[in-house]
Structures are given as C-alpha cells and as structure tokens.
Amino acid sequence: MDFAFTKEQLMFKKEIIRFAKKEIVPRVQEYDLKEAFDFESFRKLGDFGILGLHFPEEYGGSGADVVTTVMAGEALGEAGVDGGLTLAYGAHSFLCADTILRHASEEQRKKYLPKLISGEWIGCMGLTEPDAGSDVASMKTIAEKKGDKYVLNGSKIFITNGPIADVSVVYAKTDPSQRHAGISAFIVEKGTKGFAAGAPLIKMGVRTSQTSELFFNNCEIPAENLLGKEGEGFNMSLQTVEWDRSALLAPFVGAARYMLSSCADYARKREQFGRPIGKFQAVKHKLANIRIFAEAAQSLAYKIAWCKDQGRPLNHLEAAVAKLFVGDWSMVPANDAMVVFGGYGFCHEYNMERIFRDSRLAPIGGGTSDIQKMIISKLI
Amino acid sequence: MNYDFSEKEFNLFIDIQEKVSRVAESVQLDRKDPKRSRENIKQVLEQLAQTPYLQLGLQPVEGYQGQLSLMGAAEVLAAVSPSAYLSVEASTRLFGRAVNEWGDNSQKAKWLSPLLEGQLIGALALSEETLNIENDPLTTKGDRQGESVVINGAKQYVINAPIADWIAVAGFCDDAYALFLIEKETPGLTVEPAIETLGYEGTPISRIHLDNCSIPAEQIIFPPAKAEMPQTLRMWENQMLLGASLGLSKTAFESARDHAKTHRSGGKPIIAYQEVGFKLADMLTLFQTSQLLAYRTAWTAETNPKEAGELLLCAKVFCAESAETVCSEALKILGGNGYIIGNNAERAYRCAKYVQIAGTSTEIGRVKIGDAALGYRD
C-alpha cells in the first residue's frame, strides 16, 4: 500500500485552490442568491484546464489520471467553490463528455469534445425519469428507429445542466420489451426539433446549478447519434458511476476542509465570555468532527479513483460504501460548522448555511443512501 | 499510490489467523483465568514468533511495510482474540518498542531478543494511579543511590502486569523522563491482582506499586528529550488501539452477517429484510471506512512519522467509536443469540468501550484535533 500523492499532484492542487479562490469564490455568494448559473466561472474552469483534465490532449484535454482529476474536485471544494458549480462540472465532464469520449465515433468526438472541454459548450446527461429514478430499467422514454433517424418521445427529470446544456447524452429504450438490455444512449443537441428543457427547478441547495426536466416530443435525431450499439446504454450509464463515486464525491471532502479552516478562523476571532470561542472544548469537538469526516472520506474517494486508474472494473460494493459514507456523514460537518458560527452560520454571508444546503444533496443525488444500502446488503 | 496489500502480506494475515485460531480452539483466550492467562499468552506469542508479526514496526522485515503491514495483521489477530491481541501488543509494541527505540545495544540484547522470540512478556506502566498525564506531570521517580536507582510511585491500568516478566515503568530520573525496567518479583514491586473489567477479560490489567524498589542503573532507559516520552507512549498506545478497533468491528460485522444469511424468519434469511440488510450496510460502511483510515494512518506513521500525530487522533476517534456502533448493531441483528455470553459480537461490544477510553480518550482526542485546527499548542 502507498497513499502518497506525487509532488506534481500536490502542487497542482495548490494551484487550483489559488486559482479558484481568486477567480471563482468571490462570485459564489452572488450567484447562489440569484440561483443563477455562473457561465463566466464555468468558462474559467475550462480555461484553467479543469473541465478536460482526464481527456486526451488531442481533444484539448490534459491526459491526467483519475486520481489527479479527483484531486481537482477536492481542491475546488477546499477553496470554497459552491456545490452547484462543482455539480455542474461533474455532470458536464463526467456524465456527458466522458460518455462521448468512450462511446462516440471519432467524428463525434472531434465535433463535441473540444468545445465541451473548453467550456464553450455545456453538457448534461438525461437518465432519470419521473417514474424511473433508481429503477432506471423502468424508463419510458422511447427511441424508435425510422430510416436514418431515431425518433425520441418521453421526458427526463432532475437533469443537472438541463436548461443550459448545448449537448445532452440521453438514455432511451430502443426495445421497450426489455429492461436494462433495451436501453440505448444518444447525443441530442440543443435546438433539435421536438427537444426542449423545462424551467429550472427551485432547489434547496446547489442552487447555481441549473436543474430541469427534458422533453422529447417526436424529437428526430440522426441515426449516427446513437452511442455504441443499441442496448448498450445501461452499461454506459454504469460506467459513469465510477466518476460519481470518486470525482463527484471529492468536492464534499474539499468542502469539509473549507469548513474546517473557516470555522477555525472564526473561532479564533469570535470572543464570548472574555475569550475566543475556540478555547471552549465544545467548539473544539465540532472542529474535530469536521476534520475526522474529511480524513475518513478522503481515502474512500481516492481508492475508487486509483482502482479506475489501474483499469480495474468497478467494485460495486466499495463504490456503494464510499457513496453511503460521504452521503450520510457529510451532514455532520455541515451541521457542526453552522453551529460553530452560531447566528452568523444561519446567514448567507458566512457561507456555512449554503454548504449545509449543498451537502443535503450528498445522500440523495447519484443514488440515494437507501439504494446504496440495498446494493451493499445484496453484495455481502 | 497503491491501495492493495501485497500477496506476501495477505499470506501473513492468513497465517496469523490460522495459527492463533488453533490456540483459541484449545484454550479460552478471552475468559478471565488468572491461573492460565500467562500460559495462554505465551502460547500465542510462540505461534506468532514463527511469523514476522512480532518484528513488524520494530525491525525492518523484507517484503513488509512496518506499521502498515502491522495494521493489517493486527486487525486479523484482534478479530480472532481481542484479549490476546491486547496482551501481545502491550508486550511487543509498547514494552518492546520502547526498548527498541530508546534502549542501548546491551538492553536490546537482554530484552528485545527474547521478546521477539516469544519467550518474554513485557508490560508498560504509564498512567499514574491518581493523575492524568494529559494535564499533570508524572510523579513516579527514581533516585540514584550508588550503582542503583530506587523507585517510588504507583501506576494503574497496567496491561499484562500480573503476567509480565518485565515491566517498563515511566517516570522521572535525574530530572529527565526515564523508563525503569523492573523484573517481576523485584523487592519493592507489588503487582495487584487483575482488576475486573467489562471486556478484555483474558487480558490481565492491574495496578502496581513501587515502594523503594531498587534496580541496577543499567535497567534504566533514557529516551532523548525530543522524543517527548509520555506523548510518544500515548501515540503508540493509540496505534495499538486502532488495530484493536478494526478487529472488533471485523468480528462483530462478520458474526452479524453470517447470522443474517443463515437465520431464517418468515420463510427467508433475515438479511432479506431491509431492517437487517440496511443495518449491515451501515456497519460495513463504518468498518471499511475505518480500515482505510487506519491503513493510511499506519502508512503515514511509517513513512512520515512527524505528520502522523493528528491523523492518528482522527483515526483513533473514528475507528473506536465506529467499533462500538458496529458491535451494538451486530447485537441487534443477532437477537437473543447475541445476548448470550461467549459469542464474538457480545464480547466485542464489551471490549469496544475500552478502545474509546484507553490511550487518548475520544473526548481528549477531539480536543487535541480541535487545538491543531485552531493552531493552539500545549
């Protein structure tokens, strides 16, 4: 065993934190209050190379390994970037662009990836439906082949980046008689006739990410927009789980480190009963809880990443454990951080209430904690 | 980066499990038995001496990663027998490590060699009888009288004291921290009978008194001042308790899982019920998270000891508290079977409280972690 990061990785993490603190974090509060997507910050992520970290250089990426890519997510959280932007980045780079990288034709890669990696275009993934959440095989969206086209009908819900996406990877049934084996994946471009996104949903947290329904009403797309072959869609969606259990968990680890430093700074300065509140054991205990979560969660996310770098098939048990832990436990530091800040913690200005709201997504998004428990209990 | 143990390490874990399980089949390692406890632990030590286990973390062993390999092996041993584990580790990784790190060559030859051969049982006496070393100085003192040193003091919660051949007693001598190595039955050394404990009944723990106990000067070890002896000894205790926590979680989880897969209710195994299956999922999550955190801590201690202190405290708090949670949930799954004395889960449940309060308690641990975050130092 060896848990060491390389010097280059550690330097890169510092650079990202420095970049994010200067270029992105000052805008976070404003956009969270507006519940608006920060296009400028997103483009800056592209300019800095974060959106395309693990993509091959020929498409504009950096060819980084998965561990380094996960580290970028942790660094963004540690800098204080909001969960909305990191979620948008995750949906864009890992759920949409990575699926195109793996399964699209070379022509399609060249068409989509450079613009997605630069941040010029925004991507999303349409999988979840009103009646098909964790039970993805029950999806009702249908793709019917007609000549050299597929015609899509149906709808999707809770689609991160849905209202702003230029490119969508959409899953639909090409064989409704089948369950998982009947699912296929398609690229659908914004502006395609019969394709529309709903209004952004008003959410408790991750408010700068834009989430909506997607509607397909006799939406015709070229047959070549099928990714891979018919019936391969479910496995493609499973491949995104590797990212979901590593890169998309990493910002929560980073957020804990951000909360720790914020709380420590505050507790050193805030005085009550004639001394800094950091001198009280109850406050120290809360800081400890935050640190313990960060240390415990860190290794889970990086282990999934390291296994992916080794080319190993995803260990679904370990992946579910990682998601369950980060999901269920991320509320502990978020709650403790709010308490350390007292009344100020309840106010937007001090960021803790935003992180508390953002953290609430962790046990819900990408497979609820109950679903993880279901997976684990079946696998053991 | 590499998240795998090597094949050699895995083989060692299997070997330890088999060897100690054989002993556990023939004797009650986890029952209080003052007449047999020394003999029992000697049997375990002799088995372990046939493997590299006792050397791990003390001496380089080709193909193994010191503290890291030790943590993996410790988990296995602590799962088979929590009591044997605690005795073996107190002897080897507290007493033995002190001799190894701070003793001179003749002291190592005298105590370390037989220890690693499984022929010597050691103990470390750190906690003062009336004082808490977190806030107060050690009061046990040795005064030189000619070629000898006369020691006075009293210690509590000394693991192995009733069965140890030698006890390393922490105190002061010549205005410096010192370890006095005292052989059993030395005049002036009184070892009380083992105290009654909630768990770890197979591990004899007792008070000792030192009343004008005279030892030759060559039986004193003076750690270098920079070693900060009390804090370092606490850190070693915490490392030992980390392995103990993993073992307790492992044995409790496995007991509950096996029961849930075989015990049927309503025509199906109880694991098929979400109330049970989900509980097991939570338990496994705590266990696997504890494992990774403990392994990373051990790796840090091996490769960059100066950076290991805060991480060790985080791991100690998390793994110890997780152990109690896992054990408690295991008892619920085991139902009435879990309440019967002698099964692995109830034994682990009783032991789990110890790993929270021994070493740096989880409460003090949190204070120290908080202090580190705040930049406050002692």
Side-chain angles (χ1 to χ4, degrees), chain A residues 6-55:
Chain A
T6 65
K7 282 183 184 172
E8 290 75 19
Q9 286 170 328
L10 294 171
M11 280 174 56
F12 184 55
K13 184 181 179 187
K14 280 185 181 172
E15 281 181 33
I16 293 177
I17 291 174
R18 192 162 42 237
F19 150 77
K21 281 186 173 175
K22 182 181 176 194
E23 302 289 343
I24 297 177
V25 174
R27 304 159 60 86
V28 162
Q29 288 188 350
E30 176 192 348
Y31 280 83
D32 184 71
L33 277 180
K34 290 196 297 192
E35 300 187 38
F37 185 73
D38 184 355
F39 286 94
E40 187 177 328
S41 288
F42 194 78
R43 282 299 299 267
K44 284 179 178 173
L45 289 179
D47 292 344
F48 197 81
I50 291 173
L51 297 180
L53 262 182
H54 76 282
F55 290 85

Side-chain angles (χ1 to χ4, degrees), chain B residues 25-57:
Chain B
E25 285 167 11
S26 60
V27 298
Q28 295 280 358
L29 289 173
D30 291 280
R31 290 279 178 86
K32 186 174 182 183
D33 188 351
K35 289 180 182 171
R36 284 193 54 87
S37 54
R38 177 179 163 82
E39 191 183 326
N40 290 348
I41 298 305
K42 288 277 281 188
Q43 277 191 55
V44 173
L45 285 168
E46 283 165 12
Q47 289 295 312
L48 292 173
Q50 296 171 29
T51 75
Y53 181 85
L54 297 177
Q55 299 170 62
L56 295 175

Side-chain angles (χ1 to χ4, degrees), chain A residues 1-5 9 67 257 260 263-265 267-268 276-279 281 283-289 291-292 294-303 306-307 310 312 317-318 320-322 324-325 328-329 369-374 376-377 379-380, chain B residues 1-6 9 65 68 253 257 261 271 273-274 276-282 284-286 288-289 291-293 295-297 299-300 303 307 310-311 313-315 317-318 321-322 362-376:
Chain A
M1 274 190 177
D2 178 357
F3 294 87
F5 296 107
Q9 286 170 328
V67 168
R257 298 198 186 282
L260 181 63
C263 287
D265 286 345
R268 277 191 296 265
I277 62 169
K279 294 287 184 184
Q281 289 187 337
V283 172
K284 294 177 186 180
H285 275 216
K286 290 175 178 61
L287 296 181
N289 289 341
R291 170 86 189 268
I292 290 166
E295 300 298 350
Q298 176 185 314
S299 297
L300 293 169
Y302 283 108
K303 183 176 184 184
W306 178 77
C307 287
Q310 306 312 302
R312 295 182 186 176
L317 182 67
E318 290 181 348
V321 162
L324 179 57
F325 181 79
D328 275 4
W329 282 68
S369 290
D370 277 355
I371 290 298
Q372 306 314 313
K373 292 177 188 180
M374 196 183 290
I376 293 168
S377 64
L379 291 175
I380 59 177
Chain B
M1 193 171 263
N2 183 352
Y3 277 80
D4 290 336
F5 281 116
S6 67
E9 288 170 315
Q65 296 186 81
L68 179 55
F253 169 75
R257 179 200 58 196
K261 289 166 96 168
I271 195 172
Y273 294 96
Q274 289 190 339
V276 174
F278 281 24
K279 232 182 254 305
L280 284 165
D282 281 330
L284 183 69
T285 296
L286 286 176
Q288 289 198 344
T289 306
Q291 280 180 310
L292 274 184
L293 183 54
Y295 298 158
R296 184 157 69 90
T297 302
W299 173 82
T300 307
T303 57
E307 296 295 316
E310 292 169 26
L311 190 59
L313 289 170
C314 290
V317 172
F318 182 81
E321 292 184 347
S322 294
T362 50
E363 309 306 320
I364 296 294
R366 279 194 168 87
V367 168
K368 287 175 176 284
I369 296 165
D371 279 342
L374 289 157
Y376 297 161

Side-chain angles (χ1 to χ4, degrees), chain A residues 26-197:
Chain A
R27 304 159 60 86
V28 162
Q29 288 188 350
E30 176 192 348
Y31 280 83
D32 184 71
L33 277 180
K34 290 196 297 192
E35 300 187 38
F37 185 73
D38 184 355
F39 286 94
E40 187 177 328
S41 288
F42 194 78
R43 282 299 299 267
K44 284 179 178 173
L45 289 179
D47 292 344
F48 197 81
I50 291 173
L51 297 180
L53 262 182
H54 76 282
F55 290 85
E57 291 179 17
E58 61 190 285
Y59 305 117
S62 304
D65 59 19
V66 182
V67 168
T68 305
T69 306
V70 168
M71 185 173 259
E74 185 188 359
L76 291 174
E78 188 168 342
V81 174
D82 65 293
L85 189 64
T86 55
L87 179 66
Y89 153 51
H92 168 91
S93 289
F94 306 120
L95 308 187
C96 174
D98 186 72
T99 306
I100 291 173
L101 173 68
R102 284 167 175 252
H103 304 291
S105 66
E106 185 57 28
E107 191 181 345
Q108 288 167 324
R109 287 179 195 161
K110 284 179 177 168
K111 178 180 179 183
Y112 296 111
L113 290 181
K115 289 182 177 176
L116 288 169
I117 287 168
S118 69
E120 182 182 346
W121 280 2
I122 295 171
C124 75
M125 178 188 80
L127 177 65
T128 302
E129 296 186 2
D131 295 320
S134 300
D135 181 15
V136 68
S138 294
M139 71 169 54
K140 293 188 173 69
T141 299
I142 289 173
E144 189 179 358
K145 184 142 190 219
K146 290 188 175 176
D148 59 353
K149 296 183 189 310
Y150 280 96
V151 180
L152 274 62
N153 280 288
S155 68
K156 301 288 176 181
I157 197 166
F158 304 135
I159 308 306
T160 303
N161 296 343
I164 54 173
D166 301 282
V167 185
S168 306
V169 170
V170 176
Y171 293 87
K173 284 270 182 80
T174 44
D175 183 354
S177 68
Q178 300 283 318
R179 280 179 57 80
H180 301 91
I183 298 172
S184 303
F186 301 91
I187 296 173
V188 182
E189 291 187 26
K190 182 179 182 180
T192 302
K193 191 179 175 187
F195 171 47

Side-chain angles (χ1 to χ4, degrees), chain B residues 24-338:
Chain B
E25 285 167 11
S26 60
V27 298
Q28 295 280 358
L29 289 173
D30 291 280
R31 290 279 178 86
K32 186 174 182 183
D33 188 351
K35 289 180 182 171
R36 284 193 54 87
S37 54
R38 177 179 163 82
E39 191 183 326
N40 290 348
I41 298 305
K42 288 277 281 188
Q43 277 191 55
V44 173
L45 285 168
E46 283 165 12
Q47 289 295 312
L48 292 173
Q50 296 171 29
T51 75
Y53 181 85
L54 297 177
Q55 299 170 62
L56 295 175
L58 301 183
Q59 297 179 344
V61 187
E62 193 178 341
Y64 297 98
Q65 296 186 81
Q67 296 292 332
L68 179 55
S69 303
L70 172 62
M71 190 58 72
E75 174 186 328
V76 172
L77 174 57
V80 175
S81 171
S83 296
Y85 169 80
L86 201 61
S87 276
V88 167
E89 286 303 296
S91 175
T92 312
R93 243 65 64 171
L94 298 183
F95 176 91
R97 192 171 178 182
V99 175
N100 186 58
E101 299 251 340
W102 299 324
D104 59 31
N105 287 337
S106 65
Q107 290 169 328
K108 288 180 189 176
K110 181 172 182 177
W111 291 298
L112 197 59
S113 299
L115 187 95
L116 297 181
E117 290 164 6
Q119 299 303 313
L120 183 151
I121 297 176
L124 174 77
L126 178 59
S127 292
E128 299 286 349
E129 188 177 51
T130 55
L131 297 174
N132 173 357
I133 68 158
E134 294 297 343
N135 298 314
D136 302 300
L138 298 174
T139 55
T140 298
K141 282 186 179 171
D143 296 311
R144 289 188 185 270
Q145 289 188 4
E147 298 294 310
S148 302
V149 172
V150 178
I151 309 153
N152 282 284
K155 298 283 187 177
Q156 62 179 347
Y157 305 127
V158 184
I159 300 168
N160 287 348
I163 61 169
D165 300 294
W166 288 85
I167 302 175
V169 178
F172 272 108
C173 185
D174 300 339
D175 294 325
Y177 284 123
L179 284 172
F180 309 107
L181 274 74
I182 304 171
E183 192 169 15
K184 66 178 178 180
E185 296 175 2
T186 299
L189 167 66
T190 305
V191 178
E192 290 190 8
I195 55 176
E196 298 283 343
T197 51
L198 174 68
Y200 287 110
E201 302 102 304
T203 309
I205 302 172
S206 73
R207 292 188 179 86
I208 65 169
H209 302 274
L210 297 148
D211 302 304
N212 294 319
C213 178
S214 180
I215 61 171
E218 56 266 28
Q219 286 177 210
I220 305 178
I221 289 175
F222 285 104
K226 65 179 181 183
E228 298 178 324
M229 187 186 79
Q231 289 82 357
T232 300
L233 294 174
R234 272 283 185 256
M235 187 175 82
W236 296 351
E237 283 183 332
N238 291 339
Q239 288 176 324
M240 173 181 79
L241 295 163
L242 211 48
S245 302
L246 294 187
L248 298 175
S249 289
K250 176 180 167 67
T251 193
F253 169 75
E254 289 175 351
S255 295
R257 179 200 58 196
D258 294 348
H259 178 77
K261 289 166 96 168
T262 53
H263 183 69
R264 298 177 74 84
S265 178
K268 54 185 177 180
I270 60 171
I271 195 172
Y273 294 96
Q274 289 190 339
E275 282 176 343
V276 174
F278 281 24
K279 232 182 254 305
L280 284 165
D282 281 330
M283 292 159 64
L284 183 69
T285 296
L286 286 176
F287 174 41
Q288 289 198 344
T289 306
S290 296
Q291 280 180 310
L292 274 184
L293 183 54
Y295 298 158
R296 184 157 69 90
T297 302
W299 173 82
T300 307
E302 184 65 26
T303 57
N304 193 0
K306 287 182 181 172
E307 296 295 316
E310 292 169 26
L311 190 59
L312 175 59
L313 289 170
C314 290
K316 205 275 185 177
V317 172
F318 182 81
C319 296
E321 292 184 347
S322 294
E324 184 180 350
T325 304
V326 171
C327 293
S328 177
E329 295 300 280
L331 288 186
K332 292 180 196 169
I333 291 171
L334 285 158
N337 293 319

